[in-house]
Structures are given as C-alpha cells and as structure tokens.
Amino acid sequence: MPKWKTKEQVVQLLCELVQIPSITGSQAERVLPDFVIEQLSAFSYFQKHPDHLQKNPVGDGRHFVTALVKKNSEIKNTVILVSHFDVVDVQDYGVWKEYAFQPKELTSLFYRNKDKVPEAVRDDIASGNWLFGRGTMDMKCGLALHMAMIEKAIGGAFDGNILLLAVPDEEVNSAGMRAAVPRLLELAQQYGLDYTAVLNSEPMFTQYPGDQNKYIYTGSIGKVLPGFYCYGKETHVGEPFAGLNANFMASILTAELELNTELCEMVEGEAAPPPTNLLQKDLKEEYSVQIPHRAVTLFNLFLLEKTMADVVFLLHRKAIQAAAKMDEFYAKRAAEFAKYSPFHLPELQVKVLTYEELVSYAIHQHGKEKIKSLQQELLSKQEDKDDREATIEAVDKLAIMCKELAPMIVLFFTPPYYPAVSSRNHPSIKTVTREMAAYALERHGITFKKQNYFGGISDLSYVGLQYPADSMGSFIRNFPLWDQGYSIPLSELEEFDVPVINLGPTGRDAHQWTERLDIGYSLDILLDMLPVCIQKLHEAPIEMRVME
C-alpha cells in the first residue's frame, strides 16, 4: 500500500514530523531519527536490506539517518538527498506557543483569528493554501518530500541510486552534517557508490518583501563569525581619561563594520548581505565604578568567493582603521576637557593583534607549557558552555596574561564556520537547472529564477571545498576552538567533491511565529517536479569522480 504518493499522504507525514518538537539541542531532536527509521523500516526493501537504513552517531548523543536505495548491484551513480530535522525555539509564538508544533490546529486558529495576525499573513490566509507551524517551512517539508522520494526509488522510479541523509543541528553548528561527511565517504566505499549530486530541499527565501519569485539554487552562501576582543585600560569613573573604556572600543568597531558594504561580495550580479553584529558586551562580572576595560563584539559575515586569507586580511585592516578612530576620538575629547580642567594628557595608542599573534607573544613571555596548560584547563571546563562563550573566555584569559599590551584589539574567529559552495559552472548542474526551468514553465506555468547561492545558510556548505584546505592556515590559527572542541573535516571535504543543487518548497517567515508553508506549490507541484529533477541528475553529463 502506498505511503506517501499523494499530496494528502505527504501532508500527513509532514504534520507527524512537525509534531515532534525537535528544537536544536532538545531531547526531541534525539528522538526524531527513530521516527524516520520506523517509517522507512515499513518498506520491504529495508527489511530485505536492513544495513541500508542506519542511525549514525554524531558523537554528542545525537544521530543522523542514512537510507540507501540501490537500483541494482551494478549501478554506482547516486544522488544524495540532504535535509535537516532540527528547528529553532518557539518562544516567539507567545500565546500560540502550545500549538506551535500542532500545524493543523494552529492553522485553524490563525484562520479563525485573522484579525490578530499581520496583514501579509491575512493575505495568504485568504488563499486558503497555507499550513502554519514551526518547521513546516524550515525544513521538515523538505524531509517529508525526500522520504516520499525514497518510496519512489524503491518502486524503481529512477535510473540510479538514492541516498537519503537527514541530520540534526543545522540551525546552530551543523554538527550533524560535519559528522556525516566522513560517513558518506565510507558508504561510497562500502557499497560502490559514485556521488553525482547532492540535492537539498531547503525552502526558497524571498529576496525582498512581497517577492513572489520561485528560485532554484546552485550553491549556498558561506559564513564566518569574526570577533574583536577589546582590552582598554582600567580606571575610576572619576578619572575617565586615565583609562580607556572597552565598551567604547567595541562600539567603534561595531560602527565601523555594521552594514558596511565594503565587506560585501558581488558575484554575477548577486550580492552577499553586509555584516551585522550578533553580540556585543563587556566582560565585567559585577557592577562597580571601575570602567569596563574588557569587552567583545561578534559579527555575522557572509562569504561568496573570498579566500579565508583575504577575509583575515580585510578584517585586520578594518580593525586598524577602527583603532585609529579610537585614538583620534580619545585625543579630541581629552583636549576638549582640558580646556575646563587642565591635566596631563596621557598617550594611548590602540594596538591591533590577531589571536595568533597574541598566542605567540604569550608563549614568548610565559613559556609554551604554561600557555598549553591554560588552554587545556579551559577546554576541560568547556562542556556546558556555548561555543561562542568558550571562545571568548579563551581569548580573555590569554589577554589578561598579556595585559601589558593594552590597549589592544584582538581579532579571532568563533564557531560556526560555513564555507561558501557553488556549482553554477558544473556541466551537470547547468544542464539540470536549465531543463528544470523549462519543465516548470511548460508543465506548471512557473518561471524559475536561478540563484548562484542559497542565502539562508545550509548544510550544502559541507559538500566539497572551494579552495584547498592548506589555504586556510591563517584562518585556522586565529580560531581558538579549532580542533579543540570544534572542527570541520577538511581533508574529507576535499575528497567529497560533489556538485550541489537546491530545489525546495515555498514558504514565508522562517524562524518567526508566522512561519508557514505554501501547500499548493510545495506538496503538489514540487511533489511532481522533485522526482523529475532527481532523474535528470542521473541522466545529465557528469564529470565522474570515484570515491577512493
């Protein structure tokens, strides 16, 4: 009996997936793989080949699912279907919170309370074709569709093999996908697979308010999280010019980088969004009349084609420019105050260092063993800390040991890191993208717009490497947690060099309480187009790569 061949069946599967409240880091995130395994185990194919359906450990108590359907023992061509099953928290739902994971009930509530939702949502409700709830759009619809594709593969719908990959933790650190890459290489060896494409079904993201376009993506945007640690000079608030306020330093850095288009990249008419601040705070642990002399500020920085060496150089230069503005501002204000209360103007010049330079100085001053011991002590206490907080503490403790360098700015990087990936020039992806656009127009009257980069950040970032791993040295050396609780399998990524494409559902307001899925497109039209895309990926001219 068919499980997920009709729109109604896939809607039901989606609702069952959403009802598992798999917020990143929650117990439900650990439970959801069992549901996927249970559902797929009902097929006689997996009963005959139980080793093709596996729950694989991430290493932190969570698991990712792999489900392989082989056409026959001779066929190697394999398309990977990747999705994530974790979702963000639901505090933003307010009074609707208890219904956030009950899509049918929540949808009924919103339809009955149209006057209590934003106007844009009311417009969508009027069409009667939307399903509300956390994860309906991002991205349990993609997982439901991929599970339906597994059923089609079992029925012989495709000329090649299909490998479903469903991972946790995409919304935070992508621990699931990072752990999956080495396993995918093992599966290729074990079952004789040639990976010809990785197909993601992340939902389409609008480019501007009211955007009604349909998109197909041939890559995914990259992201780094640079930090600037500011160590000023302590003083009593009654003598502010005897010190330098670290909060002031951090604010100048934020003003220098926030929405600065000089740090945007442009590739074939597509622009990466400018950087924006994600965290800014001082590091005082309690109130006092001593000025805050240690502070930190972190930024989201999107990447397209810049090398990591270029990124380090550019951010270091921006820090130098900010330091010069601090010096100038301080001298100006001090001179102005001296008109009212003459005093000796202290000379302060803010230094700019990379974390690598700070470590080198600390080793020179205190010895390698002492610095290594400090780092090991911090790592031993890291388990319950957020990666960002653990990184900041590592920089802070080291800077305190070298406080004679103050005032200073230290550039560093913290998790997560998403490499940019693009297959826009790959022959198979160019062919499939062109043919899918023609199919969508002819069969459904839909015009696709091709985007080189999916802008919402995705696990496709861990498919291959844009540049050789050995070109990332300057980035890694300024990343305190690299191989100390956080890492990316760079050598495996170099081997896992597979073209990517993203064809996903339509929705609105990801990560908002009004998150919703366009059922008509996503579970009707896309349910028709996705198997066509998979088949075309099997048929397209492929630059074959044998996984060895």
Side-chain angles (χ1 to χ4, degrees), residues 45-73:
Y45 175 88
F46 291 115
Q47 294 169 9
K48 184 178 179 181
H49 305 282
D51 59 312
H52 287 199
L53 178 60
Q54 298 179 356
K55 189 171 77 167
N56 308 269
V58 172
D60 58 5
R62 294 179 289 187
H63 293 80
F64 60 91
V65 176
T66 53
L68 172 65
V69 179
K70 286 211 73 176
K71 182 74 173 178
N72 61 52
S73 60

Side-chain angles (χ1 to χ4, degrees), residues 30-209:
R30 300 188 177 202
V31 168
L32 195 144
D34 294 324
F35 174 80
V36 176
I37 295 286
E38 178 187 4
Q39 292 295 313
L40 295 178
S41 295
F43 291 110
S44 59
Y45 175 88
F46 291 115
Q47 294 169 9
K48 184 178 179 181
H49 305 282
D51 59 312
H52 287 199
L53 178 60
Q54 298 179 356
K55 189 171 77 167
N56 308 269
V58 172
D60 58 5
R62 294 179 289 187
H63 293 80
F64 60 91
V65 176
T66 53
L68 172 65
V69 179
K70 286 211 73 176
K71 182 74 173 178
N72 61 52
S73 60
E74 302 301 318
I75 291 181
K76 294 187 174 184
N77 287 6
T78 306
V79 173
I80 300 172
L81 308 180
V82 64
S83 61
H84 70 86
F85 51 76
D86 64 314
V87 299
V88 297
D89 206 346
V90 294
Q91 297 299 325
D92 54 323
Y93 277 80
V95 296
W96 313 104
K97 180 180 174 182
E98 65 178 297
Y99 300 103
F101 295 110
Q102 303 296 326
K104 291 182 179 179
E105 291 85 346
L106 182 65
T107 300
S108 295
L109 280 170
F110 282 172
Y111 274 60
R112 294 198 306 268
N113 294 272
K114 290 181 286 188
D115 58 320
K116 296 180 181 179
V117 300
E119 183 178 354
V121 180
R122 290 199 297 271
D123 292 341
D124 284 341
I125 286 176
S127 72
N129 218 20
W130 294 79
L131 185 70
F132 290 80
R134 176 64 82 230
T136 52
M137 171 191 176
D138 186 15
M139 70 162 292
K140 289 182 177 178
C141 179
L143 173 55
L145 287 166
H146 287 183
M147 291 171 70
M149 295 304 104
I150 286 292
E151 181 175 17
K152 285 186 176 294
I154 291 172
F158 309 117
D159 289 341
N161 310 318
I162 298 296
L163 175 59
L164 178 143
L165 171 64
V167 300
D169 193 48
E170 189 268 356
E171 299 291 1
V172 179
N173 285 324
S174 280
M177 187 65 183
R178 289 186 287 120
V181 170
R183 181 62 182 141
L184 292 173
L185 296 177
E186 291 174 0
L187 291 173
Q189 284 284 337
Q190 183 177 355
Y191 295 105
L193 310 177
D194 285 332
Y195 296 136
T196 55
V198 176
L199 170 62
N200 201 355
S201 288
E202 284 276 9
M204 300 177 198
F205 277 66
T206 57
Q207 299 293 305
Y208 50 83

